[in-house]
Amino acid sequence: MRAPVQAAREFERRQPRRGRLRPAPLHPVLPGLACAALERAEPQITLRTLGEKLLALAADPELGTRGFSFTLDSHHERRELVAICRYLLSLGVLLRVAGDEDAFVSKVGDALYDVRRRALAGLLAAARGPSTWAPDQAPAGLDERLAALTEEFTPDSEEGRRTAMRHHLSRRLLDDPVVYLDELDDRPALRAYFQNQRGALAARLGEATGLHAEQRAEGLALVDESGDLTDVAMPAAGTASHVTLLVAEFLAGAGRAQPAAQVSEAAVREAVRGMIPEYGRYWAKAAREPGAETDLAENALARLAMLRLVRRDAGVVYPLPALARFALGEAELVARKRTVTKGAERAQDALF
């Protein structure tokens, strides 16, 4: 879908809410299910009815086998549905007729919407629309459906293959925090194209999106300095983010001391335990309790893995090249030159 889950999170995050500590994390499946429910709905729909239709779609056994569940029983799940609706409102897919979403979250009210089908139909970004399949030829399983939606025709020509590689790399650069050259070793033609054209790719994508390119020998990253397109920011405020930054510096130091270093997760937990006496006074109280280093280290490693800064495998952490941007160098004190008038100099001498 063109409507990214990160944008829905950001829209919910900006809403003024009383007593709200933080937005509930949106499951990436939910926006698609909500749009599928709206596609089958009447021209008008209530928030409660949308929730019931979404529950029916979420009950698909194949989704359950992949660890997905959604019930609307809890407060945060109802807030997730409201976040999706508010984002669809901002896109013009829904038009509020009456009611209030906050009342639905509190189970004391509901909201009524008009469904704008033209805007809804424009959300699906697929090479081939689902309606083009004959009923007896439509893919049955979830994997087959996803493959059919994303399958693209590549012309059997040099220009067609170049265009396909350019599209593939552009999408990866926009979706992934960083693209490493060694990830393309199994596709030599794609790796060669990336090496030769990454400067031009970075320039075009940066101009179109406002992202800033970081080109290194190991790969390319498009950095979102504003944070508008990022759901996991680093650095950021809070205990978990501070611990993540410290763990990143610890792992970057290990990689700097020994290229291709590998660090056990137990060593990371021990490092976090050693950070508590020095930095614990800045953290939440729960982070200073005995045994807290286990959860702190796990959360930090999960964040770093999501940002493609480390790779985890069987209890071992492998620092990736982009992690070096968080390594701290030796502090260098530079004498500051000061220019003062004689009168100011005499005043400073008198004061100090």
Side-chain angles (χ1 to χ4, degrees):
M1 296 175 61
R2 290 193 183 98
V5 177
Q6 291 88 344
R9 290 194 185 107
E10 180 64 21
F11 181 81
E12 170 68 4
R13 187 159 39 236
R14 293 175 179 175
Q15 301 307 304
R17 308 296 288 270
R18 297 185 298 273
R20 180 167 65 89
L21 297 179
R22 57 171 296 176
L26 286 174
H27 195 289
V29 173
L30 289 177
L33 292 180
C35 290
L38 290 173
E39 181 65 29
R40 298 167 172 84
E42 299 295 327
Q44 283 193 331
I45 189 171
T46 64
L47 182 53
R48 191 177 306 278
T49 302
L50 175 59
E52 293 171 354
K53 291 180 176 293
L54 194 150
L55 289 177
L57 295 174
D60 188 329
E62 193 162 2
L63 292 177
T65 60
R66 297 167 185 265
F68 172 77
S69 64
F70 189 73
T71 63
L72 280 182
D73 293 335
S74 63
H75 189 272
H76 79 85
E77 286 178 318
R78 293 192 297 277
R79 194 178 295 282
E80 284 183 327
L81 178 58
V82 166
I84 294 170
C85 287
R86 284 178 169 163
Y87 186 62
L88 293 176
L89 282 167
S90 72
L91 293 176
V93 174
L94 295 178
L95 177 64
R96 187 188 296 109
V97 177
D100 178 45
E101 291 85 9
D102 288 336
F104 171 80
V105 174
S106 304
K107 292 186 174 182
V108 296
D110 205 347
L112 176 66
Y113 306 103
D114 284 338
V115 182
R116 295 181 169 179
R117 301 202 178 278
R118 184 181 295 274
L120 176 63
L123 288 182
L124 183 64
R128 180 175 181 179
S131 61
T132 63
W133 291 94
D136 57 338
Q137 298 177 350
L142 180 60
D143 289 332
E144 291 80 6
R145 294 172 187 169
L146 293 176
L149 285 173
T150 57
E151 183 181 8
E152 294 184 346
F153 172 73
T154 302
D156 188 14
S157 65
E158 190 65 27
E159 180 60 28
R161 286 187 285 271
R162 282 198 301 268
T163 300
M165 290 188 288
R166 183 172 67 252
H167 289 174
H168 174 82
L169 290 171
S170 297
R171 290 165 181 163
R172 287 196 59 175
L173 287 168
L174 292 173
D175 288 341
D176 297 343
V178 60
V179 176
Y180 295 107
L181 277 171
D182 59 7
E183 296 174 336
L184 309 176
D185 286 343
D186 58 337
R187 300 181 64 179
L190 185 64
R191 178 189 171 104
Y193 183 88
F194 185 45
Q195 283 182 303
N196 294 331
Q197 299 295 325
R198 60 178 176 171
L201 280 172
R204 285 195 294 266
L205 294 174
E207 182 179 358
T209 62
L211 301 176
H212 298 271
E214 284 195 8
Q215 298 189 53
R216 304 291 177 93
E218 300 86 359
L220 173 63
L222 295 179
V223 180
D224 177 24
E225 295 184 351
S226 66
D228 291 339
L229 303 179
T230 302
D231 54 345
V232 180
M234 182 175 172
T239 298
S241 297
H242 187 200
V243 175
T244 302
L245 191 60
L246 292 172
V247 171
E249 200 282 325
F250 166 74
L251 294 172
R256 182 173 50 189
Q258 179 184 353
Q262 49 182 306
V263 182
S264 67
E265 294 187 1
V268 176
R269 290 192 292 270
E270 187 63 31
V272 173
R273 184 185 296 114
M275 298 170 187
I276 295 176
E278 182 176 358
Y279 300 104
R281 63 183 181 274
Y282 304 114
W283 299 347
K285 182 179 179 181
R288 302 193 296 270
E289 296 179 355
E293 66 276 357
T294 300
D295 290 338
L296 291 172
E298 174 61 30
N299 179 74
L301 291 175
R303 285 170 171 250
L304 293 175
M306 291 174 65
L307 292 169
R308 307 292 306 283
L309 299 175
V310 301
R311 180 171 59 86
R312 304 174 68 183
D313 184 19
V316 178
V317 181
Y318 300 87
L320 297 177
L323 189 66
R325 73 193 309 264
F326 296 99
L328 296 179
E330 295 296 331
E332 180 181 355
L333 299 179
V334 179
R336 184 174 60 179
K337 294 183 179 180
R338 303 178 62 183
T339 303
V340 296
T341 63
K342 291 184 178 180
E345 187 175 0
R346 286 195 299 270
Q348 288 181 345
D349 291 341
L351 290 173
F352 302 100

